[in-house]
Amino acid sequence: MRTAEPGRGPDGHTAPGGNTAQDAHPARSQGTFGHAPSTDPVTPTPWPDITTTPPASRPRTAVTAALVRKALARLPLRARFAGAPDIGKGGPLIEVHDPAAFHARLGTSGLVGFGESYMAGEWDAPDLVAALTVLAGHVAELIPAPLQRLRRLWAPRHPHAERNTPDGSRANISRHYDLSNDLFALFLDDTLTYSSAVFRGFPADWDRLPAAQHRKIDRLLDLADVGEGTRLLEIGTGWGELALRAAARGARVTSLTLSREQRDLARERVRAAGLADRVSVELRDYREARGEYDAVVSVEMIEAVGVEFWPVYFRALDERLAPDGRVALQAITMPHDRMLASRDTFTWIHKYVFPGGRIPSTRAIEETARDHTRLRLARRDSYGTHYAETLRLWRERFTARADEVTALGFDEVFHRLWTFYLAYCEAGFRAGYLDVQQYLFTKDTRQHEESDRP
């Protein structure tokens, strides 16, 4: 999720310019973002890590089973292993249909294996979000402390190819956002906005989602003081809704994206709105931005930057911003201690949904801006419960339109992958493990003046 406005479309139709069901995409032939296509020209395997249970020794599987049962016994849920008595203190139910495969996957791949086991249909939950919310709320307790300290030895590491260098970022972004505009159009609203909305009240409902997305965008534009004549740089175009609303205020917008699908659809929407003279959508990395702007806005983009490039990202914001300019950011965040504990870990989300991604903490964001730029924090507001509701609406929409997802060429494993992804993220926000912030940064003009002195 980021400032993307993933080709989301209105009820019953796809976003203009979206892909057709006949469009080829690796995710349909490979089945997963996390694997290269099979080199076998005769019998390619769509989901190699799902269709085959990983080999695991009996001792490893037995130890894994004991650790899992001990962890689940302390939680407020019920875990049922192939008809055996329930484990846990009571609460949402998790049903494990194939305990041997389930434990083999966890024993060899940890939490990556937990997600893959769901994709394989080896476990399920009548209320998936509720079960995952319990797990998210106790994530620090699931792995015994001795194993936590040895995380570097047993946890999978990020593939070097997924570093967010300019070329790596292009490949990482494409694997998610170029998947299919038609797919995103099935579960997003008319605004085509793929980031948290801001609602007036709860529970949220579908009919109010477009207004809630506009409320979020307008608040960011207000924070950045965007109006008539503002020179605005947007880093992360999405499908163009923020650029359109900024241009309607009289701003002149340069919007950057690494997704060809998003760029093409955003440009089409800009032309259709008669705003092509005010909005330029460019296929360009944030590191390649040039010029000076009165305001910079970036929505849920920092999560795709990568830890090693956070200083580079913030310096780019600083360098592009005019003196007395304003930066408005929307960012997903996590607790600082959990960020540090997991920062080098390769997760299920990385493998199947957002390669190269890394969620920062509020402390990491604020310290990076302070230590590497002339930007100064002026305001921060959190909206985590709003993201949980946004995700619920997307998830329910995705489920309701499952037949249309299939018609686009996506199989049952992909259905379970995206169901798990949307529920997994929603649970993170409901548990408070994840949050979303809107930031306002201003430029320290005194420091700017001092740096210009001979």
Side-chain angles (χ1 to χ4, degrees):
M1 275 144 256
R2 35 176 281 229
T3 279
E5 293 152 294
R8 319 128 186 223
D11 293 10
H13 68 274
T14 59
N19 300 335
T20 65
Q22 288 73 38
D23 291 340
H25 191 282
R28 295 173 195 172
S29 58
Q30 297 168 220
T32 172
F33 310 108
H35 302 285
S38 170
T39 56
D40 186 337
V42 179
T43 57
T45 303
W47 299 93
D49 287 357
I50 306 304
T51 56
T52 303
T53 303
S57 66
R58 287 187 179 180
R60 177 187 286 256
T61 300
V63 169
T64 301
L67 290 173
V68 167
R69 288 173 180 272
K70 184 176 180 180
L72 294 177
R74 300 192 300 265
L75 300 182
L77 51 68
R78 291 178 297 141
R80 184 173 299 158
F81 287 81
D86 293 356
I87 302 169
K89 295 183 176 181
L93 175 64
I94 291 176
E95 296 182 279
V96 181
H97 311 301
D98 188 340
F102 178 81
H103 291 129
R105 292 187 191 275
L106 266 68
T108 55
S109 303
L111 293 179
V112 174
F114 181 71
E116 290 180 335
S117 186
Y118 181 84
M119 292 165 64
E122 293 158 3
W123 70 270
D124 223 318
D127 189 338
L128 181 60
V129 172
L132 292 176
T133 299
V134 171
L135 295 175
H138 294 81
V139 66
E141 310 161 25
L142 295 178
I143 300 173
L147 289 181
Q148 293 258 14
R149 289 191 288 270
L150 297 174
R151 178 187 290 268
R152 291 179 180 274
L153 299 179
W154 58 264
R157 304 299 295 273
H158 280 275
H160 185 76
E162 292 182 7
R163 289 179 62 236
N164 283 294
T165 62
D167 288 342
S169 290
R170 285 181 171 86
N172 290 339
I173 291 300
S174 179
R175 284 163 61 188
H176 185 80
Y177 293 99
D178 288 341
L179 178 58
S180 165
N181 281 342
D182 281 357
L183 172 70
F184 288 105
L186 289 178
F187 68 90
L188 298 171
D189 66 272
D190 291 329
T191 70
L192 300 183
T193 305
Y194 192 34
S195 51
S196 179
V198 175
F199 298 95
R200 288 195 184 279
F202 302 125
D205 63 57
W206 180 262
D207 291 339
R208 292 184 173 89
L209 181 55
Q213 291 291 6
H214 283 161
R215 187 175 301 112
K216 174 271 300 298
I217 292 171
D218 289 344
R219 191 176 188 283
L220 288 165
L221 295 178
D222 289 344
L223 285 173
D225 199 22
V226 173
E228 185 68 40
T230 300
R231 298 169 298 169
L232 173 64
L233 173 64
E234 181 188 21
I235 298 179
T237 305
W239 282 261
E241 189 71 11
L242 188 147
L244 289 171
R245 289 188 78 78
R249 292 184 174 206
R252 296 195 173 276
V253 185
T254 299
S255 187
L256 309 182
T257 181
L258 291 178
S259 165
R260 293 182 182 276
E261 295 289 331
Q262 290 185 332
R263 179 200 60 181
D264 293 347
L265 181 52
R267 284 179 172 177
E268 185 169 331
R269 297 181 74 209
V270 167
R271 287 193 297 269
L275 294 169
D277 61 328
R278 289 185 174 273
V279 179
S280 173
V281 181
E282 303 175 4
L283 194 67
R284 183 172 298 182
D285 189 273
Y286 67 89
R287 287 161 283 209
E288 301 167 339
R290 298 293 180 266
E292 184 177 80
Y293 299 87
D294 305 308
V296 181
V297 176
S298 189
V299 183
E300 295 178 29
M301 167 68 191
I302 191 173
E303 303 87 344
V305 168
V307 176
E308 66 177 308
F309 295 104
W310 287 343
V312 179
Y313 172 74
F314 275 97
R315 282 196 294 268
L317 302 180
D318 184 15
E319 291 166 1
R320 302 280 67 80
L321 193 65
D324 299 318
R326 297 158 76 93
V327 173
L329 302 182
Q330 183 161 308
I332 299 171
T333 59
M334 67 190 303
H336 191 69
D337 61 336
R338 297 308 306 162
M339 185 202 79
L340 294 177
S342 62
R343 63 183 292 168
D344 295 324
T345 302
F346 183 66
T347 68
W348 180 88
I349 283 283
H350 294 133
K351 185 173 181 177
Y352 289 100
V353 186
F354 290 112
R358 179 61 62 197
I359 294 174
S361 65
T362 56
R363 177 177 166 184
I365 289 174
E366 291 159 24
E367 288 182 352
T368 303
R370 182 197 67 201
D371 295 344
H372 297 276
T373 75
R374 294 163 292 183
L375 302 176
R376 294 297 174 260
L377 177 63
R379 179 167 182 168
R380 174 171 67 84
D381 300 291
S382 63
Y383 298 92
T385 53
H386 294 255
Y387 220 147
E389 286 294 282
T390 303
L391 283 156
R392 176 180 62 80
L393 295 175
W394 292 345
R395 176 178 53 81
E396 291 173 353
R397 186 80 164 168
F398 180 84
T399 300
R401 305 185 79 172
D403 289 346
E404 293 169 79
V405 175
T406 300
L408 290 175
F410 297 98
D411 64 14
E412 177 61 25
V413 176
F414 182 89
H415 280 252
R416 292 184 68 84
L417 187 165
W418 269 66
T419 297
F420 189 80
Y421 153 57
L422 293 170
Y424 178 95
C425 293
E426 180 185 344
F429 287 101
R430 295 206 181 279
Y433 182 79
L434 298 177
D435 204 347
V436 64
Q437 320 287 332
Q438 285 190 348
Y439 280 98
L440 170 63
F441 290 95
T442 58
K443 197 157 188 172
D444 188 335
T445 55
R446 291 169 301 175
Q447 186 175 344
H448 179 85
E449 291 165 0
E450 291 171 2
S451 67
D452 286 343
R453 291 174 185 167

